Amino acid sequence: AQPNVVILATGGTIAGAGAEATNSATYQAAKVPVDKLIAGVPELAKVAAVRGEQVFQIASESFTNEHLLALGKRVSALVKQADVDGIVITHGTDTLEETAYFLNLVIKSDKPIVLVGSMRPGTAMSADGMLNLYNAVAAAAAKDARGKGVLVAMNDELNSGRDVSKMINIQTGAFKSPWGPLGMIVEGRNYWFRLPAKRHTVNSEFDIDKIDSLPLVGIAYGHGNVADTAYKALAASGAKAIIHAGTGNGSVAKNVVAGLRELRSQGVQIIRSSHVNAGGFVLRNAEQPDDQYDWVVAHDLNPQKARILATVALTKTGDSKELQRIFWEY
Ligand SMILES: NC(=O)CC[C@H](N)C(=O)O
């Protein structure tokens, strides 16, 4: 019998439509319903028995924590069903890396969960969504994709949902991991080269079935001439942790340090990450005395991924040492 793959559709450019075939960048996201997406790629029937569910129909920049919770709970329910072998999630590309990492942390299953999007709407010349969707379904249907954590299938690559990030907003090769892809998918077949070393899914201490709300975590950007205004405003709005999207090594401007120490003394977690373009690598006590200030470092997680991990981790602990352990392990 064919493997059963459920396609959970959430919107994005893969469900986008433009006025003309030349509209590769100006179009409306989240227009085409999931049944039409599936009907548009009849070849899907060759690799799996697919059925679709329209979970949301939104552009992914508008994803909230509530969307993450709802999607996560739906995925968790489906992977428990004996008649589901794999899940594909169609998603806008803007926050696809956040949702992929979230699910990688909280879904207790080794069944393949593959996120996919596109950089051009289906109405455009050289639209990339059809092949990406075919590859995602083929990947999710394959037994060899089990146990590798949540995956992202875009542009013939299979990347770890933990590492992958949208690196450019105008090319089909937009999704890259700083540490390289796990594999390739060519003509519907997976070719693996490496495995994730970080804890995920079945080996994660987090479980979506036990999470009913997510705390607020904010991000503030480091740059020249910066002040502590944004950090203070985030804390005042109820943020339990603030991700410092820092320059370089996650460095913190002289004018900001005192404000962050003050916020930490009030109980807000301060987590240093880096917004360097090719992927950061922030180490404890490099640039700032984290041990003395009781701050946490995000290591190689970019600011938006650090927000996801902090949000999930804070459902279990408010201890900065535990948070730091979690940032090393996931
Ligand atoms: N390529 C895309 O999917 C971007 C469209 C939209 N901004 C989104 O993320 O949903």
Side-chain angles (χ1 to χ4, degrees):
Q2 270 196 313
N4 294 310
V5 172
V6 180
I7 301 180
L8 299 178
T10 73
T13 296
I14 194 165
E20 295 183 54
T22 47
N23 290 127
S24 62
T26 49
Y27 57 86
Q28 275 192 289
K31 285 275 138 199
V32 183
V34 64
D35 290 341
K36 242 184 122 184
L37 287 184
I38 293 171
V41 193
E43 293 80 3
L44 295 179
K46 289 186 188 166
V47 287
V50 295
R51 67 177 178 85
E53 272 180 37
Q54 193 75 49
V55 184
F56 318 121
Q57 185 65 296
I58 60 173
S60 71
E61 62 271 23
S62 299
F63 255 70
T64 63
N65 287 352
E66 287 65 42
H67 290 103
L68 289 178
L69 279 175
L71 179 63
K73 287 189 184 285
R74 187 67 194 125
V75 170
S76 181
L78 284 168
V79 291
K80 288 190 181 80
Q81 289 181 208
D83 64 348
V84 173
D85 297 297
I87 306 274
V88 166
I89 300 164
T90 62
H91 200 292
T93 54
D94 288 0
T95 64
L96 189 149
E97 66 197 80
E98 299 181 29
T99 301
Y101 188 37
F102 177 75
L103 298 174
N104 193 60
L105 293 170
V106 299
I107 301 294
K108 309 294 285 181
S109 172
D110 69 350
K111 291 183 183 176
I113 299 162
V114 184
L115 278 85
V116 63
S118 77
M119 296 303 292
R120 297 177 183 142
T123 46
M125 284 188 274
S126 281
D128 52 333
M130 275 178 81
L131 179 57
N132 285 349
L133 183 61
Y134 175 74
N135 281 342
V137 169
K143 285 217 163 61
D144 60 48
R146 284 180 166 237
K148 293 178 169 66
V150 172
L151 301 166
V152 174
M154 299 269 299
N155 202 42
D156 306 343
E157 286 188 0
L158 292 162
N159 277 284
S160 165
R162 179 208 182 260
D163 298 340
V164 76
S165 185
K166 185 176 185 177
M167 308 291 280
I168 187 164
N169 62 318
I170 200 71
Q171 290 176 344
T172 51
F175 280 76
K176 296 282 172 202
S177 295
W179 317 122
L182 301 180
M184 296 290 297
I185 179 158
V186 179
E187 296 191 359
R189 189 168 155 196
N190 301 329
Y191 296 86
W192 300 103
F193 296 103
R194 59 189 107 253
L195 291 171
K198 300 287 188 172
R199 293 175 69 178
H200 61 75
T201 57
V202 288
N203 293 317
S204 170
E205 70 204 82
F206 308 108
D207 181 350
I208 188 72
D209 295 350
K210 299 187 179 117
I211 301 176
D212 288 313
S213 68
L214 293 168
L216 186 64
V217 175
I219 303 176
Y221 206 86
H223 55 87
N225 199 46
V226 70
D228 61 9
T229 320
Y231 303 84
K232 285 185 170 154
L234 286 169
S237 77
K240 300 284 177 272
I242 296 172
I243 310 300
H244 170 63
T247 37
N249 296 329
S251 51
V252 183
K254 191 156 59 70
N255 288 342
V256 172
V257 170
L260 295 196
R261 293 189 68 184
E262 171 66 20
L263 292 175
R264 181 70 200 104
S265 74
Q266 293 163 12
V268 180
Q269 299 287 348
I270 305 298
I271 302 174
R272 293 196 298 126
S273 69
S274 173
H275 65 60
V276 293
N277 293 304
F281 201 96
V282 182
L283 291 172
R284 282 194 73 78
N285 304 313
E287 298 271 358
Q288 290 291 333
D290 298 297
D291 289 348
Q292 187 193 333
Y293 295 169
D294 197 24
W295 293 350
V296 171
V297 295
H299 194 40
D300 70 318
L301 292 178
N302 68 26
Q304 58 272 31
K305 285 184 186 275
R307 180 189 75 88
I308 293 293
L309 183 55
T311 301
V312 170
L314 287 169
T315 64
K316 274 213 146 181
T317 184
D319 181 68
S320 61
K321 296 212 169 43
E322 267 291 280
L323 265 185
Q324 185 64 74
R325 173 190 64 78
I326 288 164
F327 268 88
W328 292 128
E329 293 181 6
Y330 293 86

